[in-house]
Protein backbone atom coordinates (compact mmCIF):
# COMPACT_ATOMS: atom_id res chain seq x y z
CA UNK A 1 0.00 0.00 0.00
CA UNK A 2 1.05 3.59 -0.54
CA UNK A 3 1.94 5.76 2.46
CA UNK A 4 3.86 8.92 3.39
CA UNK A 5 6.38 9.01 6.24
CA UNK A 6 9.84 10.08 7.35
CA UNK A 7 13.01 8.33 8.50
CA UNK A 8 14.73 11.15 10.38
CA UNK A 9 13.60 14.47 11.89
CA UNK A 10 14.24 17.33 9.46
CA UNK A 11 12.98 20.83 8.59
CA UNK A 12 10.11 20.74 6.12
CA UNK A 13 12.33 22.53 3.59
CA UNK A 14 14.52 19.43 3.34
CA UNK A 15 13.93 17.38 0.20
CA UNK A 16 13.63 14.18 2.26
CA UNK A 17 11.57 15.59 5.16
CA UNK A 18 8.61 13.46 3.96
CA UNK A 19 8.83 10.45 1.67
CA UNK A 20 6.44 8.45 -0.48
CA UNK A 21 6.58 4.81 0.66
CA UNK A 22 5.28 1.40 -0.42
CA UNK A 23 4.39 -0.78 2.60
CA UNK A 24 2.73 -4.15 3.30
CA UNK A 25 -1.03 -4.12 3.88
CA UNK A 26 -1.81 -4.32 7.63
CA UNK A 27 -4.17 -6.93 9.15
CA UNK A 28 -6.99 -6.18 11.60
CA UNK A 29 -6.72 -8.02 14.93
CA UNK A 30 -8.42 -7.67 18.31
CA UNK A 31 -10.65 -4.57 18.42
CA UNK A 32 -8.95 -2.94 15.42
CA UNK A 33 -10.65 -1.71 12.28
CA UNK A 34 -8.82 -1.72 8.96
CA UNK A 35 -9.90 1.53 7.33
CA UNK A 36 -9.53 2.54 3.70
CA UNK A 37 -8.48 6.18 4.00
CA UNK A 38 -10.45 8.64 1.87
CA UNK A 39 -9.24 11.94 3.39
CA UNK A 40 -6.91 13.24 6.09
CA UNK A 41 -6.24 16.59 7.68
CA UNK A 42 -2.98 18.00 9.04
CA UNK A 43 -2.47 19.25 12.60
CA UNK A 44 0.34 20.99 14.50
CA UNK A 45 1.14 17.64 16.16
CA UNK A 46 2.10 16.24 12.72
CA UNK A 47 4.74 18.94 12.29
CA UNK A 48 6.00 18.59 15.86
CA UNK A 49 6.50 14.82 15.52
CA UNK A 50 8.17 15.23 12.12
CA UNK A 51 10.64 17.76 13.55
CA UNK A 52 11.52 15.97 16.77
CA UNK A 53 10.75 12.23 16.81
CA UNK A 54 13.66 9.82 16.62
CA UNK A 55 13.34 6.94 14.15
CA UNK A 56 15.30 3.69 14.30
CA UNK A 57 17.92 3.39 11.52
CA UNK A 58 16.39 1.80 8.44
CA UNK A 59 12.84 2.36 9.74
CA UNK A 60 10.21 5.01 9.02
CA UNK A 61 7.34 6.67 10.84
CA UNK A 62 3.93 7.39 9.35
CA UNK A 63 2.26 10.63 10.45
CA UNK A 64 -1.42 11.59 10.31
CA UNK A 65 -3.80 12.04 13.23
CA UNK A 66 -7.08 12.74 11.48
CA UNK A 67 -8.95 10.65 8.93
CA UNK A 68 -12.24 9.78 7.31
CA UNK A 69 -12.72 6.57 5.41
CA UNK A 70 -14.52 3.25 4.96
CA UNK A 71 -14.08 0.15 7.10
CA UNK A 72 -12.54 -2.57 4.93
CA UNK A 73 -12.14 -5.31 7.57
CA UNK A 74 -12.57 -5.78 11.32
CA UNK A 75 -10.72 -7.70 14.03
CA UNK A 76 -12.41 -10.68 15.74
CA UNK A 77 -13.27 -8.67 18.89
CA UNK A 78 -14.90 -5.70 17.13
CA UNK A 79 -18.44 -4.93 18.36
CA UNK A 80 -19.28 -1.46 17.09
CA UNK A 81 -18.59 -1.48 13.33
CA UNK A 82 -18.76 -3.67 10.23
CA UNK A 83 -17.12 -3.56 6.78
CA UNK A 84 -18.60 -0.81 4.64
CA UNK A 85 -19.24 1.61 7.53
CA UNK A 86 -18.11 5.19 6.91
CA UNK A 87 -16.05 6.45 9.85
CA UNK A 88 -13.95 9.35 11.11
CA UNK A 89 -11.36 9.47 13.89
CA UNK A 90 -7.99 10.82 15.04
CA UNK A 91 -6.04 7.65 15.85
CA UNK A 92 -3.28 7.34 18.47
CA UNK A 93 0.13 8.97 18.54
CA UNK A 94 1.89 5.74 19.57
CA UNK A 95 0.69 3.83 16.46
CA UNK A 96 1.31 4.34 12.71
CA UNK A 97 -0.63 7.33 11.40
CA UNK A 98 -3.33 7.88 8.81
CA UNK A 99 -1.16 9.08 5.90
CA UNK A 100 -1.59 5.67 4.28
CA UNK A 101 -4.04 3.92 1.97
CA UNK A 102 -5.03 1.52 4.78
CA UNK A 103 -4.92 2.19 8.52
CA UNK A 104 -5.47 0.23 11.73
CA UNK A 105 -7.37 1.91 14.58
CA UNK A 106 -9.05 0.74 17.78
CA UNK A 107 -12.83 0.92 17.36
CA UNK A 108 -13.27 2.61 20.76
CA UNK A 109 -11.84 5.90 19.44
CA UNK A 110 -13.75 5.86 16.14
CA UNK A 111 -17.07 7.51 15.31
CA UNK A 112 -19.55 7.10 12.46
CA UNK A 113 -18.86 9.78 9.85
CA UNK A 114 -21.47 12.56 9.69
CA UNK A 115 -23.84 11.55 6.89
CA UNK A 116 -24.19 15.09 5.55
CA UNK A 117 -20.45 15.72 5.13
CA UNK A 118 -18.01 14.70 2.45
CA UNK A 119 -14.98 12.66 3.52
CA UNK A 120 -12.88 15.83 3.23
CA UNK A 121 -15.21 17.86 5.44
CA UNK A 122 -15.36 15.03 8.00
CA UNK A 123 -11.57 14.55 8.08
CA UNK A 124 -11.18 18.15 9.28
CA UNK A 125 -12.97 17.41 12.55
CA UNK A 126 -11.87 14.47 14.74
CA UNK A 127 -8.68 15.59 16.51
CA UNK A 128 -9.90 19.12 17.10
CA UNK A 129 -13.41 18.03 18.10
CA UNK A 130 -12.07 15.48 20.59
CA UNK A 131 -9.57 18.01 21.97
CA UNK A 132 -12.15 20.77 22.40
CA UNK A 133 -14.92 18.50 23.72
CA UNK A 134 -12.66 16.82 26.29
CA UNK A 135 -11.01 20.08 27.37
CA UNK A 136 -14.26 21.99 27.80
CA UNK A 137 -16.66 19.37 29.14
CA UNK A 138 -14.55 16.53 30.56
CA UNK A 139 -11.59 18.46 32.01
CA UNK A 140 -12.54 22.10 32.70
CA UNK A 141 -16.25 21.29 33.08
CA UNK A 142 -17.69 24.58 31.87
CA UNK A 143 -21.13 23.20 32.71
CA UNK A 144 -20.25 23.76 36.41
CA UNK A 145 -20.42 27.50 37.06
CA UNK A 146 -17.84 29.44 39.09
CA UNK A 147 -19.46 31.42 41.93
CA UNK A 148 -19.47 35.16 41.32
CA UNK A 149 -17.66 34.96 37.98
CA UNK A 150 -18.87 36.06 34.56
CA UNK A 151 -20.09 32.80 33.02
CA UNK A 152 -17.86 33.20 30.00
CA UNK A 153 -15.10 31.26 28.22
CA UNK A 154 -12.17 33.07 26.64
CA UNK A 155 -10.91 30.94 23.72
CA UNK A 156 -7.36 32.05 22.92
CA UNK A 157 -6.58 31.22 19.29
CA UNK A 158 -10.20 31.10 18.21
CA UNK A 159 -9.46 30.86 14.48
CA UNK A 160 -7.39 27.68 14.69
CA UNK A 161 -8.76 24.20 14.17
CA UNK A 162 -9.42 23.60 17.88
CA UNK A 163 -10.69 27.13 18.52
CA UNK A 164 -13.09 26.98 15.56
CA UNK A 165 -14.85 23.86 16.82
CA UNK A 166 -14.61 24.90 20.50
CA UNK A 167 -16.61 28.07 19.82
CA UNK A 168 -19.34 26.05 18.11
CA UNK A 169 -19.49 23.39 20.84
CA UNK A 170 -19.74 26.06 23.53
CA UNK A 171 -22.57 27.84 21.72
CA UNK A 172 -24.51 24.62 21.16
CA UNK A 173 -23.89 22.67 24.38
CA UNK A 174 -23.62 25.36 27.06
CA UNK A 175 -25.04 28.70 28.13
CA UNK A 176 -21.69 30.50 28.47
CA UNK A 177 -20.70 33.71 26.75
CA UNK A 178 -18.02 32.91 24.19
CA UNK A 179 -15.08 35.26 23.63
CA UNK A 180 -12.70 34.34 20.83
CA UNK A 181 -9.30 35.86 20.11
CA UNK A 182 -7.52 36.54 16.84
CA UNK A 183 -4.96 39.02 15.55
CA UNK A 184 -5.89 39.74 11.93
CA UNK A 185 -9.12 41.00 10.33
CA UNK A 186 -9.65 37.72 8.43
CA UNK A 187 -9.20 35.54 11.52
CA UNK A 188 -11.46 37.77 13.59
CA UNK A 189 -14.18 37.49 10.95
CA UNK A 190 -13.69 33.70 10.88
CA UNK A 191 -14.23 33.62 14.67
CA UNK A 192 -17.41 35.66 14.40
CA UNK A 193 -18.71 33.37 11.66
CA UNK A 194 -18.63 30.44 14.10
CA UNK A 195 -20.73 32.26 16.68
CA UNK A 196 -18.42 34.00 19.17
CA UNK A 197 -20.27 36.68 21.13
CA UNK A 198 -17.14 38.86 21.37
CA UNK A 199 -13.74 38.93 19.64
CA UNK A 200 -10.49 40.24 21.16
CA UNK A 201 -7.09 40.94 19.63
CA UNK A 202 -4.60 38.66 21.38
CA UNK A 203 -1.65 40.65 20.00
CA UNK A 204 -2.65 43.36 22.51
CA UNK A 205 -3.30 43.11 26.28
CA UNK A 206 -6.50 41.10 26.63
CA UNK A 207 -7.12 42.01 30.27
CA UNK A 208 -7.41 45.68 29.28
CA UNK A 209 -9.83 44.87 26.44
CA UNK A 210 -12.02 42.83 28.80
CA UNK A 211 -11.94 45.53 31.47
CA UNK A 212 -13.17 48.07 28.93
CA UNK A 213 -16.19 45.83 28.29
CA UNK A 214 -17.13 46.30 31.98
CA UNK A 215 -18.96 42.95 32.21
CA UNK A 216 -16.76 41.08 34.65
CA UNK A 217 -13.98 38.52 34.91
CA UNK A 218 -14.52 35.33 32.89
CA UNK A 219 -14.75 32.04 34.76
CA UNK A 220 -12.91 30.02 32.13
CA UNK A 221 -9.95 30.38 29.77
CA UNK A 222 -9.24 27.83 27.03
CA UNK A 223 -5.73 28.49 25.70
CA UNK A 224 -4.93 26.72 22.43
CA UNK A 225 -1.63 28.40 21.55
CA UNK A 226 1.31 30.39 22.96
CA UNK A 227 0.12 29.91 26.54
CA UNK A 228 3.48 30.98 28.02
CA UNK A 229 3.21 34.32 26.20
CA UNK A 230 -0.34 34.96 27.35
CA UNK A 231 0.06 33.67 30.92
CA UNK A 232 0.49 37.06 32.68
CA UNK A 233 -2.58 38.35 30.84
CA UNK A 234 -4.58 35.22 31.75
CA UNK A 235 -3.65 35.58 35.43
CA UNK A 236 -4.85 39.18 35.42
CA UNK A 237 -8.15 38.68 33.60
CA UNK A 238 -9.50 35.35 34.94
CA UNK A 239 -11.95 35.31 37.85
CA UNK A 240 -10.96 34.01 41.30
CA UNK A 241 -11.55 30.23 41.48
CA UNK A 242 -11.58 30.18 37.68
CA UNK A 243 -10.34 27.35 35.49
CA UNK A 244 -7.70 27.31 32.77
CA UNK A 245 -7.40 24.55 30.19
CA UNK A 246 -4.45 24.43 27.81
CA UNK A 247 -3.44 22.11 24.98
CA UNK A 248 -0.10 23.43 23.73
CA UNK A 249 3.46 22.68 24.84
CA UNK A 250 4.91 25.93 26.24
CA UNK A 251 8.41 26.60 24.92
CA UNK A 252 9.57 27.83 28.33
CA UNK A 253 8.85 26.57 31.87
CA UNK A 254 5.80 28.30 33.33
CA UNK A 255 5.75 29.49 36.92
CA UNK A 256 2.34 28.41 38.18
CA UNK A 257 2.77 29.72 41.73
CA UNK A 258 0.82 32.94 40.98
CA UNK A 259 -2.25 30.75 40.34
CA UNK A 260 -2.46 30.08 44.07
CA UNK A 261 -3.61 33.58 45.05
CA UNK A 262 -6.81 33.20 43.01
CA UNK A 263 -7.19 29.46 43.75
CA UNK A 264 -7.17 28.77 40.03
CA UNK A 265 -7.23 25.24 38.64
CA UNK A 266 -5.31 24.06 35.59
CA UNK A 267 -6.55 21.35 33.23
CA UNK A 268 -4.10 20.07 30.62
CA UNK A 269 -5.82 18.36 27.73
CA UNK A 270 -4.10 15.62 25.74
CA UNK A 271 -6.55 13.90 23.40
CA UNK A 272 -4.19 10.96 22.87
CA UNK A 273 -4.10 10.13 26.60
CA UNK A 274 -7.09 7.79 26.51
CA UNK A 275 -5.89 5.59 23.60
CA UNK A 276 -2.20 5.69 24.57
CA UNK A 277 -2.90 4.62 28.15
CA UNK A 278 -5.87 2.40 27.23
CA UNK A 279 -7.96 4.07 29.94
CA UNK A 280 -11.09 2.44 31.27
CA UNK A 281 -13.18 5.22 29.70
CA UNK A 282 -11.46 5.09 26.31
CA UNK A 283 -14.83 4.56 24.60
CA UNK A 284 -15.80 8.13 25.53
CA UNK A 285 -14.07 9.23 22.32
CA UNK A 286 -16.35 6.96 20.28
CA UNK A 287 -19.34 8.47 22.06
CA UNK A 288 -18.31 12.09 21.67
CA UNK A 289 -17.47 11.68 17.97
CA UNK A 290 -20.92 10.21 17.42
CA UNK A 291 -22.42 13.15 19.34
CA UNK A 292 -20.51 15.62 17.15
CA UNK A 293 -21.72 13.76 14.02
CA UNK A 294 -25.32 14.04 15.24
CA UNK A 295 -24.89 17.79 15.78
CA UNK A 296 -23.34 18.16 12.32
CA UNK A 297 -26.18 16.27 10.65
CA UNK A 298 -28.70 18.38 12.58
CA UNK A 299 -27.00 21.52 11.13
CA UNK A 300 -25.99 22.67 14.61
CA UNK A 301 -22.25 22.47 13.91
CA UNK A 302 -20.28 22.81 10.69
CA UNK A 303 -16.95 21.57 9.43
CA UNK A 304 -13.89 23.75 10.01
CA UNK A 305 -12.32 22.76 6.66
CA UNK A 306 -10.63 25.82 5.15
CA UNK A 307 -8.50 24.43 2.31
CA UNK A 308 -7.99 21.18 0.35
CA UNK A 309 -4.54 20.57 -1.16
CA UNK A 310 -5.21 17.58 -3.41
CA UNK A 311 -4.05 13.96 -3.13
CA UNK A 312 -2.22 12.45 -0.16
CA UNK A 313 1.44 12.38 -1.17
CA UNK A 314 4.76 13.68 0.12
CA UNK A 315 4.69 16.81 -2.04
CA UNK A 316 1.26 17.95 -0.91
CA UNK A 317 1.90 17.04 2.73
CA UNK A 318 5.07 19.14 2.67
CA UNK A 319 2.96 22.11 1.54
CA UNK A 320 0.47 21.47 4.36
CA UNK A 321 3.23 21.17 6.99
CA UNK A 322 4.80 24.43 5.80
CA UNK A 323 1.45 26.19 6.04
CA UNK A 324 0.87 24.90 9.58
CA UNK A 325 4.35 25.97 10.64
CA UNK A 326 3.70 29.50 9.39
CA UNK A 327 1.23 29.95 12.30
CA UNK A 328 -1.05 31.91 9.99
CA UNK A 329 -3.64 29.31 9.06
CA UNK A 330 -7.29 29.29 10.00
CA UNK A 331 -9.48 26.21 10.23
CA UNK A 332 -8.16 22.91 8.84
CA UNK A 333 -6.09 21.84 5.83
CA UNK A 334 -7.23 18.57 4.20
CA UNK A 335 -5.89 16.14 1.59
CA UNK A 336 -8.03 13.56 -0.16
CA UNK A 337 -7.30 10.00 -1.31
CA UNK A 338 -4.20 8.65 -3.05
Amino acid sequence: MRAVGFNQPQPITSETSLLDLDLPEPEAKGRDLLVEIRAVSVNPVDTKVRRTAAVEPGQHRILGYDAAGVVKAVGPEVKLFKPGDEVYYAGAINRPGTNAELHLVDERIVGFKPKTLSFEEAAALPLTAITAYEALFHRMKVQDKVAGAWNAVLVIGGAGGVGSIAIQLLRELSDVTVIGTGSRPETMEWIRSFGAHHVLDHSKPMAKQLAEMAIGAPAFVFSTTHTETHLPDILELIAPQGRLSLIDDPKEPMDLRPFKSKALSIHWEMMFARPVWQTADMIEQHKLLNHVAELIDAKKLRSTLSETLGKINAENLKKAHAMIESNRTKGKIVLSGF
Side-chain angles (χ1 to χ4, degrees), residues 40-325:
V40 301
S41 69
V42 182
N43 294 282
V45 65
D46 294 74
T47 69
K48 178 187 174 184
V49 174
R50 191 211 74 245
R51 293 192 310 268
T52 62
V55 183
E56 291 289 329
Q59 300 299 308
H60 54 263
R61 181 160 178 172
I62 308 300
L63 297 171
Y65 307 106
D66 257 335
V70 179
V71 176
K72 182 178 181 180
V74 301
E77 298 173 25
V78 166
K79 304 172 184 176
L80 305 172
F81 299 93
K82 65 183 184 306
D85 285 340
E86 296 183 349
V87 296
Y88 77 141
Y89 60 92
I93 199 167
N94 61 337
R95 301 187 69 179
T98 59
N99 293 337
E101 284 186 282
L102 296 168
H103 182 248
L104 291 176
V105 61
D106 190 299
E107 66 169 345
R108 289 169 289 180
I109 60 172
V110 176
F112 288 100
K113 183 184 79 68
K115 296 180 177 64
T116 55
L117 295 187
S118 67
F119 286 103
E120 289 78 12
E121 291 168 326
L125 290 168
L127 184 143
T128 54
I130 295 169
T131 299
Y133 200 113
E134 287 187 343
L136 297 170
F137 303 109
H138 294 174
R139 315 283 181 234
M140 194 161 53
K141 298 186 177 178
V142 299
Q143 61 271 33
D144 298 338
K145 292 180 172 58
V146 173
W150 179 22
N151 190 34
V153 180
L154 176 66
V155 181
I156 298 175
V162 174
S164 299
I165 193 66
I167 290 167
Q168 296 183 75
L169 288 169
L170 286 167
R171 287 302 310 268
E172 184 58 36
L173 301 179
S174 76
D175 61 355
V176 302
T177 298
V178 182
I179 311 157
T181 81
S183 60
R184 308 191 310 275
E186 60 268 31
T187 57
M188 291 181 167
E189 182 54 38
W190 177 269
I191 291 164
R192 291 188 186 94
S193 75
F194 284 107
H197 295 96
H198 307 282
V199 182
L200 305 183
D201 183 346
H202 59 227
S203 68
K204 301 174 182 177
M206 292 180 288
K208 183 176 184 294
Q209 295 172 68
L210 281 171
E212 290 172 352
M213 293 167 64
I215 300 176
F220 311 101
V221 175
F222 183 29
S223 181
T224 71
T225 184
H226 296 96
T227 300
E228 74 278 9
T229 301
H230 299 301
L231 196 62
D233 223 6
I234 293 169
L235 283 164
E236 181 179 351
L237 65 85
I238 194 170
Q241 302 187 95
R243 304 178 203 133
L244 165 67
S245 182
L246 64 154
I247 65 171
D248 58 333
D249 298 305
K251 295 181 176 62
E252 302 172 3
M254 296 192 305
D255 183 2
L256 301 181
R257 289 174 294 181
F259 280 71
K260 182 177 180 180
S261 68
K262 284 187 175 181
L264 303 174
S265 60
I266 302 166
H267 306 265
W268 217 314
E269 163 61 13
M270 172 61 165
M271 59 79 55
F272 293 122
R274 280 169 161 153
V276 167
W277 296 99
Q278 297 281 297
T279 61
D281 65 348
M282 184 172 160
I283 201 166
E284 288 300 318
Q285 293 195 348
H286 166 72
K287 294 176 182 176
L288 75 83
L289 284 173
N290 283 345
H291 188 194
V292 169
E294 291 168 4
L295 293 170
I296 291 280
D297 288 339
K299 306 299 183 186
K300 295 179 178 180
L301 301 177
R302 58 188 173 97
S303 174
T304 54
L305 168 64
S306 61
E307 189 167 354
T308 304
L309 293 184
K311 298 294 184 182
I312 303 167
N313 57 42
E315 181 182 0
N316 287 335
L317 280 166
K318 285 179 186 178
K319 292 177 185 175
H321 279 232
M323 291 169 68
I324 294 289
E325 289 177 346

